[in-house]
Amino acid sequence: MEHYCLLSSGVTLGTYVPAVMLEKQMTSKGLKVDTYVLETYFQQGAQGKLIELKKQIHQSFAFAKMAQKVSSDIKSSYDETKLQQLFETWQAFDTIHLIVFSGFWISIIDEFVGAYSHQVEIDVQVIHMDASYSASWKLHKQLSPDYQHNWLFNLEAMEVTHSIGIPQEIIPFTERKSEVLIHGGGWGIGTYQNTLQSSIADHYHLNMVAYEPSDMLSNVSISYFQQQPGWNAWNRDEHGNHTFPPMIVKSPGSEPTVEYEFNGCSPIYRIVQLSQAIISKPGGATIMDSLHSATPLIYLENYGKYETDNAELWRSLGLGMSFPEWKASGFDPGLLEQMHHNLTEVKSNTQEVIDLLTQVVI
């Protein structure tokens, strides 16, 4: 019996949402697959501390950058009983494919391989969601030579080669309204709120992701999208599945509504594909959204060197530009339209990750 395991993390949504997307795609192909979220195997107290850390990081970008610099292996947070139960589940398969989105899984994988490789055929495929080594991988650059690295885009090679399929067509730029989406990634990190101090609202309608009720400004005509309070990536729904984060939608003059999914995608993706630009820090999942939807990225201050590299790749390929550069142009929509066409061309030449994985492991 053969099984695929997508190993993600709820630390941000940058590995979680792509893993859920890939699970849907692989399931539709008839493959036996499940998504596992690292924090599921934390001690309960460690999960609570993570929720508190999330609040602190959202409230202070300076604190967020400091916390990233001192990040280390989190093995002490694990619940050993939960890990043993996980290993018992995995060792029941004849062949298991571990598709790894977060480097924080490596110590667990190494332990499993060491204990069970004599009785289970184990294939490990690493998926890099950034153009260089991200924070979770910086501790694990020297992996077992048996683990296969897969780069979706790579600054060193200056190329975009693979993507994780989204079942939506690209909306032509001329059919989009003068709207932009502003956010700070899955945890609301960065300088995205500072963009409101510019004159951008004079040129575009603003759709902004809010992370706490206090983020919503009542005196500005902005459409807000807030992750539903209480939802966590490591909790499954009543059917035992991991879900996209539900979004509370609050538009000017309308009552709030809740959206759970958009035609097989995260609900916020509907706004991504209708926008003329994404304004955000250049995280891996954000540039993936940019690619899928052919929506240019106007990037803000980075959160770590790997995001600097993401931004540099997008800038070099003509797929994005910095917020100060775009502001200096008077928020020129013509620049966005050209980047949209560049993204459409690059997207047409990418291969699907599922094809890459099945070529390797089937």
Side-chain angles (χ1 to χ4, degrees):
M1 185 165 46
E2 188 171 36
H3 196 69
Y4 294 81
C5 302
L6 308 181
L7 308 184
S8 68
S9 169
V11 169
T12 68
L13 299 180
T15 63
Y16 174 80
V17 170
V20 174
M21 284 299 310
L22 185 57
E23 178 185 354
K24 290 179 176 293
Q25 191 179 18
M26 296 179 77
T27 299
S28 71
K29 300 289 187 181
L31 300 173
K32 300 297 183 182
V33 60
D34 196 7
T35 297
Y36 295 83
V37 177
L38 182 73
E39 291 76 15
T40 305
Y41 306 97
F42 277 15
Q43 302 166 28
Q44 188 172 359
Q47 290 179 344
K49 289 179 180 178
L50 186 61
I51 293 172
E52 288 302 314
L53 177 63
K54 178 179 179 180
K55 293 179 181 178
Q56 291 177 282
I57 283 178
H58 170 60
Q59 292 167 357
S60 172
F61 190 34
F63 175 82
K65 290 190 288 186
M66 180 191 69
Q68 184 192 64
K69 289 179 180 178
V70 299
S71 63
S72 60
D73 199 343
I74 52 178
K75 192 171 183 179
S76 62
S77 299
Y78 300 141
D79 184 317
E80 291 299 327
T81 300
K82 292 180 181 178
L83 285 183
Q84 287 306 312
Q85 291 171 346
L86 175 66
F87 290 168
E88 289 173 7
T89 298
W90 286 355
Q91 63 90 26
F93 298 108
D94 298 322
T95 301
I96 189 167
H97 305 286
L98 303 179
I99 301 170
V100 193
F101 286 83
S102 170
F104 291 126
W105 273 98
I106 291 300
S107 61
I108 296 175
I109 294 171
D110 287 344
E111 184 177 346
F112 177 70
V113 170
Y116 294 98
S117 59
H118 66 285
Q119 65 185 75
V120 181
E121 183 179 350
I122 305 170
D123 168 63
V124 179
Q125 298 290 328
V126 172
I127 304 294
H128 289 283
M129 287 297 301
D130 293 280
S132 61
Y133 283 97
S134 63
S136 75
W137 291 107
K138 69 180 182 180
L139 301 172
H140 302 289
K141 289 186 178 181
Q142 301 301 321
L143 299 179
S144 165
D146 295 329
Y147 301 174
Q148 178 68 45
H149 289 271
N150 301 284
W151 295 88
L152 309 191
F153 24 85
N154 193 311
L155 178 62
E156 185 177 349
M158 198 58 71
E159 62 181 5
V160 178
T161 56
H162 291 86
S163 63
I164 297 174
I166 286 184
Q168 298 294 319
E169 296 294 326
I170 292 175
I171 296 177
F173 190 86
T174 54
E175 296 180 16
R176 305 187 189 196
K177 297 179 181 179
S178 295
E179 299 186 356
V180 296
L181 173 64
I182 304 172
H183 68 73
W187 275 19
I189 301 173
T191 59
Y192 66 99
Q193 291 174 316
N194 295 347
T195 60
L196 300 180
Q197 299 171 9
S198 71
S199 62
I200 188 171
D202 296 338
H203 304 267
Y204 298 87
H205 176 74
L206 308 184
N207 298 305
M208 178 171 277
V209 176
Y211 301 86
E212 296 178 359
S214 60
D215 293 338
M216 300 185 189
L217 305 177
S218 59
N219 61 338
V220 180
S221 296
I222 300 174
S223 297
Y224 283 101
F225 302 81
Q226 181 189 7
Q227 183 175 299
Q228 191 175 52
W231 180 90
N232 287 308
W234 51 87
N235 294 331
R236 297 175 183 259
D237 66 11
E238 63 272 21
H239 304 295
N241 299 318
H242 286 294
T243 65
F244 295 119
M247 303 297 292
I248 299 174
V249 182
K250 189 177 187 301
S251 299
S254 302
E255 291 297 316
T257 59
V258 179
E259 295 184 3
Y260 294 91
E261 189 171 303
F262 167 64
N263 295 340
C265 301
S266 174
I268 199 65
Y269 188 76
R270 176 175 64 88
I271 309 305
V272 172
Q273 69 170 173
L274 290 170
S275 297
Q276 291 191 350
I278 305 168
I279 301 175
S280 178
K281 67 183 188 63
T286 298
I287 65 173
M288 183 64 73
D289 281 347
S290 170
L291 176 66
H292 281 306
S293 60
T295 303
L297 173 62
I298 304 299
Y299 53 84
L300 304 172
E301 184 178 348
N302 69 78
Y303 177 56
K305 183 182 182 302
Y306 62 96
E307 288 197 349
T308 300
D309 292 342
N310 291 344
E312 176 61 20
L313 178 63
W314 243 232
R315 185 198 63 78
S316 298
L317 296 178
L319 312 179
M321 65 190 312
S322 73
F323 186 81
E325 289 177 305
W326 190 45
K327 180 181 177 181
S329 76
F331 301 111
D332 184 2
L335 295 175
L336 301 182
E337 185 169 11
Q338 182 57 58
M339 289 186 284
H340 163 81
H341 292 308
N342 295 344
L343 280 157
T344 301
E345 182 176 356
V346 170
K347 177 64 169 64
S348 69
N349 292 319
T350 62
Q351 295 180 306
E352 290 293 334
V353 166
I354 187 173
D355 296 332
L356 172 68
L357 294 173
T358 52
Q359 287 173 6
V360 172
V361 300
I362 290 183

Coordinates of all heavy atoms in Angstrom, one line a residue, residues 4-5 13 17 96 106 115 139 143 160 203 207 222 242 252 255 331 347 355:
Y4 N 0.9 9.2 0.1 CA 1.6 10.4 0.0 C 1.2 11.3 1.2 O 0.1 11.5 1.5 CB 1.2 11.2 -1.3 CG 1.6 10.5 -2.6 CD1 0.8 9.4 -3.1 CD2 2.7 10.9 -3.3 CE1 1.2 8.8 -4.2 CE2 3.1 10.2 -4.4 CZ 2.3 9.2 -4.9 OH 2.7 8.5 -6.1
C5 N 2.3 11.9 1.8 CA 2.1 12.7 3.0 C 2.7 14.1 2.7 O 3.9 14.2 2.4 CB 2.8 12.1 4.2 SG 2.2 10.5 4.6
L13 N 0.9 30.8 6.6 CA 0.1 30.1 5.6 C 0.9 29.8 4.4 O 0.4 29.2 3.5 CB -1.2 30.9 5.3 CG -2.1 31.2 6.5 CD1 -3.3 32.0 6.0 CD2 -2.6 29.9 7.1
V17 N -1.2 26.6 2.9 CA -2.2 26.7 1.8 C -1.7 26.0 0.5 O -2.5 25.2 -0.1 CB -2.5 28.2 1.5 CG1 -3.3 28.3 0.2 CG2 -3.3 28.8 2.6
I96 N 5.9 5.0 1.4 CA 5.4 6.3 1.8 C 6.2 7.4 1.2 O 7.5 7.3 1.2 CB 5.4 6.4 3.4 CG1 4.7 7.7 3.8 CG2 6.8 6.4 4.0 CD1 4.4 7.7 5.3
I106 N 12.2 18.2 9.5 CA 13.4 17.3 9.2 C 13.8 16.4 10.3 O 14.1 15.2 10.1 CB 14.6 18.1 8.6 CG1 14.2 18.7 7.3 CG2 15.8 17.3 8.5 CD1 13.9 17.7 6.2
A115 N 14.4 4.8 12.2 CA 13.7 3.7 13.0 C 13.0 2.7 12.0 O 12.8 1.5 12.4 CB 12.8 4.3 14.0
L139 N 18.6 25.7 9.0 CA 19.2 24.8 10.0 C 19.5 23.4 9.3 O 20.1 22.6 10.0 CB 18.3 24.6 11.2 CG 18.0 25.9 12.0 CD1 16.9 25.6 13.1 CD2 19.2 26.4 12.6
L143 N 21.2 18.1 4.2 CA 20.2 17.0 4.4 C 20.8 15.7 3.9 O 21.8 15.7 3.2 CB 18.9 17.3 3.6 CG 18.1 18.5 4.0 CD1 16.9 18.7 3.1 CD2 17.7 18.5 5.4
V160 N 11.7 30.5 -13.1 CA 10.5 30.0 -12.5 C 10.1 28.7 -13.3 O 9.9 28.8 -14.5 CB 9.3 31.0 -12.6 CG1 8.1 30.4 -12.0 CG2 9.7 32.3 -11.9
H203 N -6.2 56.5 -6.2 CA -6.1 55.9 -7.5 C -6.8 54.5 -7.6 O -7.2 54.1 -8.7 CB -4.6 55.7 -7.9 CG -3.8 57.0 -7.8 ND1 -3.6 57.8 -9.0 CD2 -3.2 57.6 -6.8 CE1 -2.9 58.8 -8.6 NE2 -2.6 58.7 -7.3
N207 N -8.5 46.7 -1.1 CA -8.9 45.5 -0.4 C -7.8 45.1 0.5 O -6.7 44.9 0.1 CB -9.2 44.3 -1.4 CG -10.3 44.7 -2.4 OD1 -11.4 45.0 -2.0 ND2 -10.0 44.6 -3.7
I222 N -12.5 51.0 2.7 CA -11.7 49.9 2.4 C -12.5 48.6 2.6 O -13.3 48.5 3.6 CB -10.4 49.8 3.3 CG1 -9.6 51.1 3.2 CG2 -9.6 48.6 3.0 CD1 -8.4 51.1 4.1
H242 N -8.1 19.1 6.5 CA -7.6 20.5 6.7 C -8.3 21.4 5.7 O -8.5 21.0 4.5 CB -6.1 20.5 6.5 CG -5.3 19.9 7.6 ND1 -5.3 20.4 8.9 CD2 -4.5 18.8 7.7 CE1 -4.6 19.7 9.7 NE2 -4.1 18.7 9.0
P252 N -17.6 48.2 2.6 CA -18.3 49.4 3.0 C -19.8 49.3 2.7 O -20.2 49.0 1.5 CB -17.6 50.5 2.2 CG -16.3 50.0 1.9 CD -16.4 48.5 1.7
E255 N -23.2 44.1 5.3 CA -23.1 43.3 6.5 C -21.9 42.3 6.2 O -21.8 41.8 5.1 CB -24.4 42.6 6.8 CG -25.5 43.5 7.2 CD -25.2 44.2 8.6 OE1 -24.6 43.5 9.5 OE2 -25.4 45.4 8.7
F331 N 1.7 55.6 -9.3 CA 0.9 54.4 -9.3 C 0.4 54.1 -10.7 O -0.8 53.8 -10.9 CB -0.2 54.6 -8.3 CG 0.2 54.9 -6.9 CD1 0.0 56.1 -6.3 CD2 0.9 53.9 -6.1 CE1 0.4 56.3 -5.0 CE2 1.3 54.1 -4.8 CZ 1.1 55.4 -4.2
K347 N 3.9 32.1 -16.7 CA 3.0 31.0 -16.2 C 2.8 29.9 -17.3 O 2.7 28.7 -17.0 CB 1.7 31.6 -15.7 CG 0.7 30.6 -15.3 CD 1.1 29.9 -14.0 CE -0.1 29.1 -13.4 NZ -0.5 28.0 -14.3
D355 N 3.2 16.9 -11.5 CA 3.9 16.1 -12.6 C 5.4 15.8 -12.3 O 5.9 14.8 -12.5 CB 3.8 16.9 -13.9 CG 2.4 17.1 -14.4 OD1 1.6 16.2 -14.1 OD2 2.1 18.1 -15.1

